Amino acid sequence: KMENIPTKSQIHTYTLKGLLIIIFFISPFLTLNAQDTKKAEREFRKALEYINLSNYEKAITNLNKSLEYNPNYPDALLAIAEIYYNQYPNIDSLRLKSYQFYKNLVEISPDFDKNAHYRLGDYYIKDYNTQKASYHYKYYLSKQKAPRDNKKIEDVNRKLKKVEFVKTNLDSPVEFKPVNMGININTINDDYFPILTADEKMFIFTSLTPNEDKENTREPYFEDFFVSYNKKGDWTKSQKMPPPFNSNSNEGALTISPDGRVAYFARCNSDDGFGSCDIYYSEKSGNAWNQPKNLGADVNSSSWDSQPSIASDGRTLFFVSSREGGFGKSDIWYTYKKDDGTWTKPKNLGPTINTEGEEKFPFIHPSNTTLYFTSDYHIGMGGQDIFYSRIENGKFTEPINLGYPINT
């Protein structure tokens, strides 16, 4: 559970049950080949009953039996593909099983389900097979009718642009030689949101740590801050940051002002919060950090607010929010600290940066002339790609993808 990262919404063309109800009524009118038997249809109907009970494991068992009797039974191929695709979206090894069934389906009956081609396009582009991805996207596109399907047509045309982008970048990779931070930093858990202090002596990151509180069994993991120090060029074994940063809530995405005196970060589901996650700050007095305070209702909203990045002026704070008034699921916003210490009403960075998708993880370069961020909507190599945009004459330039193999 990573509350400082917004949950990905699952987009399904149909509900699984709805799709299989459609299959159920279409099935009697399909012309099955000679291998099809009553046994295959019987097992398929049993599977439908289990699907209606949301018992997908038993449904898969019956669908496999149906395919043993008739490997080319399109209803069963589509049904088992949809189960693996829709019911296991976050378990790659299980979702991957769906694609072989989609492949078999389009081979024996290309027009049985047009969405199978769309899914296969997504599969092949992740595998860098631009030729097959293009074929399946174009096949899917050929089945759409304007103006009824304008939204789908626009979506697939974007996918085809992505195919060309991937092909071009695979042919012209950028120089990239990443070095793993090693066992003093990285763990078997998720380690993310790294920052380096201006003096390059302190490395702080967020880590997803197992819950050791036996009385609280509802949360298997917590997000906490860890810190490592640079000792003569080597990084010390990371340790949990001392109070007051870590609490019983989830914390993440810390950023520190250039003078090292103010830290901003996200804390989720806290008693003094306004939304699911809010931005907090802590000021340093001597060598000790003061108790964190909520940045207030002028900045935080009733929605998800997280991932702050403070500019080198110590006053301009970029962050991500899912609040109303944006262009998509999550947008990048900014606020400015005035002379009296209050913050201006946050402003959206606008449509050059933000899209109808998810823009996240902003990082403003110390020069204050370049903003790095991720997007799953600007044309890129994969889901979330890293982009940068220059600030020229007070405006952001068109984002540039960092290229392959930085993005994959």
Side-chain angles (χ1 to χ4, degrees):
K1 183 177 182 180
M2 295 175 280
E3 294 194 62
N4 290 293
I5 300 178
T7 303
K8 293 180 180 178
S9 60
Q10 299 169 23
I11 302 173
H12 307 308
T13 307
Y14 318 105
T15 64
L16 187 60
K17 288 182 181 179
L19 176 64
L20 294 178
I21 288 171
I22 292 171
I23 291 175
F24 181 82
F25 284 107
I26 291 176
S27 180
F29 301 99
L30 293 174
T31 302
L32 302 177
N33 62 40
Q35 295 182 57
D36 290 314
T37 65
K38 291 183 179 180
K39 291 181 180 179
E41 186 172 350
R42 185 178 68 230
E43 295 296 338
F44 174 71
R45 290 175 182 271
K46 286 181 181 178
L48 286 181
E49 292 176 6
Y50 284 123
I51 288 170
N52 286 325
L53 296 173
S54 298
N55 190 335
Y56 300 111
E57 289 186 9
K58 287 190 175 181
I60 287 173
T61 298
N62 286 109
L63 289 169
N64 279 320
K65 288 181 180 179
S66 178
L67 292 171
E68 287 176 8
Y69 291 120
N70 179 12
N72 295 330
Y73 194 178
D75 304 73
L77 287 170
L78 179 57
I80 195 169
E82 287 290 290
I83 290 175
Y84 279 124
Y85 187 90
N86 288 308
Q87 298 306 313
Y88 304 102
N90 299 317
I91 306 176
D92 290 343
S93 61
L94 287 174
R95 171 170 270 200
L96 282 173
K97 288 186 176 183
S98 68
Y99 297 109
Q100 186 57 55
F101 294 105
Y102 286 131
K103 289 179 191 177
N104 294 347
L105 176 63
V106 299
E107 285 176 6
I108 64 168
S109 184
D111 293 331
F112 189 81
D113 182 70
K114 60 187 178 183
N115 296 292
H117 289 279
Y118 184 91
R119 303 251 166 96
L120 285 171
D122 288 348
Y123 168 77
Y124 282 118
I125 196 63
K126 287 181 181 179
D127 200 37
Y128 302 142
N129 192 329
T130 55
Q131 185 176 0
K132 287 189 175 181
S134 179
Y135 167 78
H136 286 289
Y137 284 141
K138 288 180 178 178
Y139 198 105
Y140 176 84
L141 187 62
S142 70
K143 303 301 177 182
Q144 309 306 316
K145 302 293 183 182
R148 180 194 65 192
D149 300 319
N150 279 350
K151 187 79 174 175
K152 294 177 181 178
I153 293 171
E154 180 184 355
D155 174 56
V156 180
N157 281 326
R158 285 191 69 260
K159 298 270 187 178
L160 288 169
K161 288 181 181 179
K162 180 176 180 177
V163 170
E164 291 303 313
F165 181 89
V166 170
K167 187 177 185 302
T168 299
N169 279 264
L170 289 175
D171 293 339
S172 303
V174 299
E175 185 175 351
F176 183 53
K177 296 179 180 179
V179 178
N180 193 290
M181 291 289 290
I183 59 174
N184 281 352
I185 303 293
N186 291 310
T187 68
I188 61 173
N189 301 307
D190 290 341
D191 306 298
Y192 45 100
F193 290 130
I195 67 155
L196 191 64
T197 53
D199 59 8
E200 299 186 1
K201 292 182 178 179
M202 189 163 59
F203 183 81
I204 303 170
F205 61 98
T206 306
S207 186
L208 198 64
T209 60
N211 177 17
E212 297 177 353
D213 183 0
K214 295 182 180 179
E215 294 182 2
N216 182 1
T217 58
R218 293 178 300 174
E219 301 287 349
Y221 291 93
F222 282 106
E223 289 178 292
D224 283 322
F225 292 119
F226 283 71
V227 61
S228 174
Y229 299 93
N230 191 330
K231 300 293 184 182
K232 298 180 180 180
D234 294 322
W235 293 101
T236 61
K237 180 67 177 176
S238 63
Q239 302 288 335
K240 268 192 178 184
M241 284 189 74
F245 291 105
N246 291 320
S247 71
N248 291 329
S249 300
N250 285 303
E251 286 87 20
L254 187 141
T255 181
I256 296 180
S257 61
D259 62 6
R261 307 303 298 179
V262 186
Y264 302 89
F265 64 95
R267 176 174 284 173
C268 302
N269 301 317
S270 186
D271 292 339
D272 60 346
F274 296 94
S276 58
C277 294
D278 281 11
I279 299 172
Y280 288 72
Y281 73 98
S282 175
E283 296 178 306
K284 202 171 188 179
S285 298
N287 292 322
W289 290 95
N290 295 330
Q291 193 66 29
K293 297 179 181 178
N294 191 299
L295 208 56
D298 288 338
V299 175
N300 291 308
S301 69
S302 59
S303 300
W304 178 86
D305 303 296
S306 186
Q307 303 174 4
S309 179
I310 190 70
S312 58
D313 62 7
R315 288 190 169 194
T316 308
L317 185 70
F318 296 85
F319 66 98
V320 182
S321 179
S322 62
R323 68 185 62 195
E324 293 183 0
F327 293 87
K329 299 172 185 176
S330 61
D331 282 12
I332 301 174
W333 300 67
Y334 78 95
T335 178
Y336 185 80
K337 188 177 182 179
K338 296 181 287 188
D339 290 340
D340 63 2
T342 61
W343 294 86
T344 61
K345 183 179 179 181
K347 292 184 178 180
N348 190 290
L349 291 195
T352 301
I353 300 296
N354 293 312
T355 68
E356 61 184 76
E358 290 183 339
E359 278 65 51
K360 300 188 292 187
F361 312 122
F363 173 79
I364 183 68
H365 190 272
S367 65
N368 275 353
T369 60
T370 307
L371 178 74
Y372 295 87
F373 65 99
T374 71
S375 174
D376 68 353
Y377 195 84
H378 288 291
I379 300 298
M381 294 291 296
Q384 286 280 345
D385 274 21
I386 304 173
F387 294 80
Y388 72 88
S389 173
R390 305 289 189 192
I391 302 174
E392 297 178 358
N393 300 319
K395 295 183 179 180
F396 287 98
T397 61
E398 195 67 29
I400 296 175
N401 189 293
L402 290 191
Y404 172 83
I406 294 176
N407 291 314
T408 63

